[in-house]
């Protein structure tokens, strides 16, 4: 039924986000507590597939809730989200993480798309 499908997506999303929070907190704590700093901060433009105000807001807030990243602004045409990332030695990898991680899952949650979660 639709209810159980939605509930399953919500539980999977919550589990994924809790894991991402734990990993980000660990990385930040490790960097603070060790003498060598691994931070390579950058402001990145992330192309968006999310389109509605709700989808964009949800993605931007989830990025900001994750330690080490902050949503800064959205382009006037709403096709780019500007993100400050503290660990962005490889900007393309950070964009890829956002696109295949949070954004894909926000789309699944918001639109109800059932995609194969084993692909990443």
């Amino acid at each position: 039924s639709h209810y159980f499908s939605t509930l399953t997506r919500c539980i999977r999303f919550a589990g994924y986000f809790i894991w991402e929070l734990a990993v980000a907190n660990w990385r930040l704590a490790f960097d603070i507590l060790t003498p060598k700093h691994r931070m390579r901060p950058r402001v990145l433009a992330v192309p968006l597939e999310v389109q509605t105000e709700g989808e964009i807001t949800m993605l931007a807030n989830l990025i900001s809730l994750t330690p080490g990243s902050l949503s800064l602004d959205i382009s006037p045409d709403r096709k780019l989200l500007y993100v400050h990332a503290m660990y962005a030695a490889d900007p393309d990898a950070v964009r890829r993480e956002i696109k295949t991680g949070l954004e894909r899952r926000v789309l699944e949650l918001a639109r109800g798309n059932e995609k194969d979660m084993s692909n990443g």
Side-chain angles (χ1 to χ4, degrees), residues 18-70:
I18 289 168
W19 174 255
E20 288 296 310
L21 281 177
V23 169
N25 275 304
W26 171 253
R27 180 176 17 182
L28 190 59
F30 183 78
D31 199 29
I32 290 169
L33 297 173
T34 56
K36 181 180 177 191
H37 291 286
R38 292 157 188 83
M39 293 180 198
R40 298 292 179 264
R42 293 179 196 253
V43 173
L44 308 170
V46 179
L48 295 176
E49 288 179 53
V50 292
Q51 296 173 349
T52 68
E53 288 292 325
E55 292 169 352
I56 292 169
T57 301
M58 186 174 182
L59 177 63
N61 284 332
L62 290 168
I63 288 170
S64 292
L65 285 171
T66 307
S69 60
L70 178 67

Side-chain angles (χ1 to χ4, degrees), residues 2-119:
H2 178 69
Y3 173 77
F4 289 109
S5 173
T6 302
L7 182 62
T8 302
R9 279 195 307 274
C10 288
I11 290 170
R12 281 195 312 224
F13 182 84
Y16 170 79
F17 190 67
I18 289 168
W19 174 255
E20 288 296 310
L21 281 177
V23 169
N25 275 304
W26 171 253
R27 180 176 17 182
L28 190 59
F30 183 78
D31 199 29
I32 290 169
L33 297 173
T34 56
K36 181 180 177 191
H37 291 286
R38 292 157 188 83
M39 293 180 198
R40 298 292 179 264
R42 293 179 196 253
V43 173
L44 308 170
V46 179
L48 295 176
E49 288 179 53
V50 292
Q51 296 173 349
T52 68
E53 288 292 325
E55 292 169 352
I56 292 169
T57 301
M58 186 174 182
L59 177 63
N61 284 332
L62 290 168
I63 288 170
S64 292
L65 285 171
T66 307
S69 60
L70 178 67
S71 299
L72 299 174
D73 200 3
I74 187 150
S75 64
D77 63 2
R78 296 171 40 176
K79 295 194 184 292
L80 294 172
L81 179 65
Y82 298 100
V83 176
H84 179 272
M86 287 176 50
Y87 299 96
D90 182 351
D92 290 330
V94 175
R95 283 186 197 96
R96 203 169 27 257
E97 285 176 29
I98 292 170
K99 301 288 295 169
T100 62
L102 277 177
E103 186 181 41
R104 180 174 69 98
R105 285 170 172 84
V106 165
L107 286 170
E108 288 173 359
L109 192 60
R111 298 180 185 176
N113 295 338
E114 288 292 335
K115 293 182 180 178
D116 181 14
M117 294 298 289
S118 65
N119 288 339

